[in-house]
Amino acid sequence: FLVKRRNQEFATYILLGMRNRTMAVILVIETLVIGVVSLIVGLIMGVALSQVTSVFTAFVLESDIEFSFIYSQAAFKNTIISFSIIFILVSFGNIKKIRKFKLVNLLNAVRQNDVILNIKPWFGYVSLLAGIYILFYAYRWALQPYQLIIGFIPIVFLGTLATLIIFYSIAHIFMN
């Protein structure tokens, strides 16, 4: 996202004599700053919301457990490791894109439109209904006795597929 939306800025840098390597370093630093801030905010919100979720779950289940602050050191470490891996992959991808920059392409990037598929408006509504039906079917299947053990993978697959269809169709409806 940071690379795609800033083509003219990068073109200006090239016109002013900046090398691609310098642009790559700047982009990596910017991505790191944004990522670290997001990671810190996400970790704080995750810890806070997990506390709220545990209290809410105990309330819904009418459980008589006492509230205690729950913090998982392993989850904290796994989150930081996952963030680091994603950051490294994104940085390599951005560096690869920057290496391929050509001044002409960057200057003409504003004239290039994003491709929007021309799909009939009724398709969004039909796919929304299909997604809701598939999700309903997956939940109904999961609530059958002993079906969760036998059909766990198909149930998860159907639930994921239905969720993707629902989000896609809602986006399609709003685009139209």
Side-chain angles (χ1 to χ4, degrees):
F1 176 78
L2 290 173
V3 173
K4 186 176 181 181
R5 298 291 178 201
R6 297 169 61 192
N7 286 331
Q8 283 199 318
E9 179 184 343
F10 291 130
T12 305
Y13 291 155
I14 291 174
L15 282 172
L16 293 173
M18 186 180 285
R19 294 173 34 209
N20 287 0
R21 176 175 284 180
T22 308
M23 283 191 296
V25 169
I26 290 171
L27 193 61
V28 168
I29 292 171
E30 286 177 356
T31 306
L32 180 65
V33 169
I34 291 169
V36 168
V37 169
S38 321
L39 178 67
I40 292 169
V41 170
L43 286 171
I44 291 169
M45 288 179 61
V47 169
L49 289 176
S50 70
Q51 308 309 310
V52 171
T53 304
S54 64
V55 170
F56 178 74
T57 304
F59 174 75
V60 167
L61 297 175
E62 297 177 356
S63 176
D64 292 331
I65 61 170
E66 293 182 25
F67 175 75
S68 62
F69 183 78
I70 302 168
Y71 171 76
S72 172
Q73 186 76 24
F76 187 82
K77 287 179 185 177
N78 288 337
T79 302
I80 292 174
I81 290 169
S82 299
F83 168 80
S84 301
I85 291 170
I86 291 169
F87 173 76
I88 290 168
L89 292 175
V90 167
S91 294
F92 280 131
N94 288 342
I95 291 169
K96 186 177 177 181
K97 285 180 186 177
I98 288 177
R99 281 187 178 171
K100 294 181 180 180
F101 278 171
K102 302 284 185 238
L103 183 59
V104 174
N105 296 341
L106 293 174
L107 291 173
N108 290 327
V110 173
R111 296 181 191 155
Q112 296 172 353
N113 294 331
D114 289 335
V115 177
I116 297 176
L117 297 176
N118 188 12
I119 301 174
K120 302 292 182 195
W122 58 266
F123 182 76
Y125 297 106
V126 171
S127 60
L128 178 63
L129 292 174
I132 291 171
Y133 177 77
I134 294 170
L135 191 62
F136 173 76
Y137 179 78
Y139 273 105
R140 196 175 85 201
W141 188 10
L143 293 175
Q144 296 297 320
Y146 305 109
Q147 289 299 319
L148 193 58
I149 297 169
I150 298 168
F152 179 74
I153 292 175
I155 290 170
V156 171
F157 175 77
L158 282 177
T160 304
L161 176 67
T163 304
L164 289 173
I165 291 172
I166 289 170
F167 281 117
Y168 173 79
S169 59
I170 289 173
H172 179 62
I173 290 169
F174 280 119
M175 295 259 314
N176 282 326

